[in-house]
């Protein structure tokens, strides 16, 4: 069985603060992919990153960074120097090998206050 | 041009109505998906089409009927819906329906069933 847990339902930060969104996953497969998506108020899910289970290198893209740790089954997402435009719901997702669906967490609603 | 478009963006319908949601992708992808996003619940996969063939149907009630006339278009036909079917319906596409393929989402149709 596969499962994604985003324990933080809502987070509020003041602009320019750093914020980390947690994601913990469960899977029995050794081959899988992890994703983060952003859903702004407009509704569209915007793809942010994909990471496969064999690549534990952390990744940085501008103000965004991701920390993948297989030992703790976590794939956390950090936004540095947050901005109001970062306000959105962020989803972590997992897909196992084989013909299995993409499984999403319940999402974390991030509010960045000016 | 936006990769995945959905129309209408908002729809209000009575329980006896028949309506259709439309999705179009301009990415040259071969796989398309319907998801349902209800309040307080994770995104739920409803249907998957690959090369216009349905490859997955996650026990969706028959009042939801998908149609994929070609690899660029996907419809969701609705009839005799219930109020609990009110949700955001998201369409997505990917190159193929493989593990390694990232899904790209449209903006969704916000459906309200009265």
């Amino acid at each position: 069985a596969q499962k994604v847990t985003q324990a933080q339902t809502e987070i509020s930060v003041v602009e320019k603060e750093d914020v980390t969104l947690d994601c913990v996953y469960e899977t029995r497969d050794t081959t899988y992919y992890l994703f983060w998506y952003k859903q702004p108020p407009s509704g569209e899910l915007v793809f942010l990153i994909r990471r496969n289970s064999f690549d534990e290198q952390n990744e940085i893209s501008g103000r965004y960074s991701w920390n993948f740790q297989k030992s703790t089954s976590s794939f956390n997402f950090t936004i540095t120097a947050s901005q109001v435009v970062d306000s959105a719901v962020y989803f972590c997702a997992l897909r196992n090998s084989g013909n299995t669906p993409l499984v999403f967490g319940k999402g974390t609603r991030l509010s960045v206050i000016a | 041009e936006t990769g995945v478009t959905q129309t209408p963006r908002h729809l209000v319908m009575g329980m006896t109505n028949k309506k259709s949601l439309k999705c179009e992708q301009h990415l040259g992808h071969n796989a398309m998906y319907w998801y349902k996003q209800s309040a307080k619940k994770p995104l739920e996969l409803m249907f998957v089409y690959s090369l216009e063939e349905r490859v997955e149907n996650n026990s969706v009630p028959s009042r939801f009927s998908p149609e994929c006339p070609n690899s660029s278009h996907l419809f969701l036909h609705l009839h005799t819906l219930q109020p609990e079917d009110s949700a955001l319906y998201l369409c997505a596409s990917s190159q193929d329906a493989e593990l390694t393929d990232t899904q790209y989402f449209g903006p969704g149709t916000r459906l309200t069933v009265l």
Side-chain angles (χ1 to χ4, degrees), chain B:
Chain B
E1 185 178 8
T2 305
V4 181
T5 58
Q6 291 186 241
T7 54
R9 294 295 310 277
H10 300 273
L11 177 63
V12 179
M13 59 187 290
M15 289 190 285
T16 58
N17 292 157
K18 288 185 179 181
K19 297 287 184 184
S20 295
L21 309 186
K22 179 183 176 182
C23 176
E24 184 174 358
Q25 58 95 2
H26 310 275
L27 301 169
H29 289 167
N30 296 315
M32 297 186 76
Y33 311 77
W34 279 117
Y35 284 87
K36 176 183 179 182
Q37 186 179 24
S38 306
K40 309 294 185 184
K41 293 176 69 175
L43 274 80
E44 302 171 68
L45 177 66
M46 300 175 72
F47 300 103
V48 181
Y49 276 82
S50 179
L51 296 171
E52 300 136 53
E53 295 290 326
R54 189 190 304 180
V55 296
E56 187 154 351
N57 173 359
N58 279 2
S59 302
V60 179
S62 60
R63 56 186 185 269
F64 295 93
S65 175
E67 178 190 1
C68 188
N70 56 63
S71 59
S72 298
H73 293 86
L74 184 65
F75 295 89
L76 188 62
H77 303 299
L78 315 171
H79 62 99
T80 60
L81 293 192
Q82 304 298 312
E84 59 264 29
D85 297 322
S86 298
L88 180 67
Y89 289 84
L90 290 159
C91 173
S93 72
S94 63
Q95 185 59 58
D96 294 288
E98 302 296 328
L99 169 65
T100 55
D101 295 322
T102 297
Q103 294 177 27
Y104 295 89
F105 287 79
T109 295
R110 174 72 60 187
L111 173 67
T112 302
V113 181
L114 301 176

Side-chain angles (χ1 to χ4, degrees), chain A residues 15-81:
Chain A
E15 203 172 20
K16 298 184 183 178
E17 286 184 354
D18 299 347
V19 58
T20 295
L21 309 181
D22 298 333
C23 173
V24 174
Y25 62 92
E26 295 177 29
T27 178
R28 294 179 181 173
D29 276 16
T30 56
T31 302
Y32 53 89
Y33 279 77
L34 294 161
F35 301 80
W36 274 96
Y37 285 87
K38 173 183 179 180
Q39 187 177 38
S42 60
E44 178 179 353
L45 267 76
V46 178
F47 166 72
L48 296 178
I49 189 170
R50 183 183 77 187
R51 173 66 76 214
N52 77 57
S53 53
F54 299 106
D55 182 3
E56 283 194 75
Q57 274 195 327
N58 291 332
E59 180 151 343
I60 298 175
S61 176
R63 296 183 298 106
Y64 295 171
S65 62
W66 290 269
N67 184 354
F68 177 29
Q69 294 203 349
K70 290 178 75 171
S71 60
T72 55
S73 297
S74 65
F75 186 43
N76 296 337
F77 172 32
T78 297
I79 301 175
T80 303

